[in-house]
Amino acid sequence: MEGIYQHFRKEEHEKITMYNGKFEIAERDYYPVLLDFLDPREQMIVTSLAGGYPELKVEFYGGAGDRERKRAMIIPEMLEVSLDEYDIAVFEMKYPEKFVSLTHRNILGAIMNVGVDRSLIGDIVVGGSIQFAVAAPYAAMFRQSLDRIRNAPITLVEVPHESFIEAVDDGKAASILVSSFRVDAIISEVINEGRAKSKTRVEKGKVKVNHSIVTSPSFIMETGDTVSIRHFGRFKVTELTAETKKGKYRLEVRVYRDG
């Protein structure tokens, strides 16, 4: 177990210890253990930990279809679980569409204002309808608390998680060259602004990596990280490739602009 920490960031060590404890429980009790919703980086960490437990397997589910945020189930090798055991509730949002226009930002803000941790909320999909997933034990809390967005009345209707609509990936792929994997260097290239301005953005708390505010411009990015920039949007690092002959690094990213 000690060796696994060296492969991850220091600030992730506490989370790794917590996840490892869940593996130990599943191994000891020979019973499936359910985790909260995980972002892609957290899913990668859990998958890495699974390599140290040959008698356990990890499966992910966030509702029907291809999901970004998924719950993980740590399962003894010989056991099987049903999708219902992931304990996911999916809501569809009903509101007066003729009179109000809601953006992903409006909806995320209202959902977070319910007061539950982000780990208890799955994907939020804004398409032909608006749907989002939550950990089922908190469904009643959402029904009671989420009744208005931007002064528009909201009604939440629970739908089967098999009916969760597919998210539309409206991101644009981009390939960039950077001098380092520092977050300020990468932001500078992705949004095409001066390095000093990107550095200031980070220092002023306007940047999140994997939903947590980062204030150190020297924070080192890794594959699977999602960077959110206030008043811009977000991008995901999909691939880090080798150093070029000119001492640069090539990154593949997927960019999602606000609006």
Side-chain angles (χ1 to χ4, degrees), residues 24-44:
E24 291 176 344
I25 292 170
E27 185 178 57
R28 182 193 69 207
D29 296 345
Y30 202 77
Y31 197 78
V33 173
L34 179 64
L35 304 183
D36 290 333
F37 287 98
L38 309 178
D39 63 34
R41 173 75 180 176
E42 292 166 330
Q43 292 168 37
M44 186 267 286

Side-chain angles (χ1 to χ4, degrees), residues 60-75:
F60 299 97
Y61 183 67
D66 184 21
R67 301 295 155 194
E68 180 175 85
R69 297 180 58 79
K70 303 173 187 178
R71 301 195 76 173
M73 187 85 76
I74 303 170
I75 310 166

Side-chain angles (χ1 to χ4, degrees), residues 169-174 234-238 252-256:
D169 187 347
D170 56 355
K172 293 185 177 180
R234 64 190 175 99
F235 65 88
K236 182 185 295 185
V237 179
T238 56
E252 303 298 329
V253 298
R254 196 154 187 86
V255 183
Y256 303 83

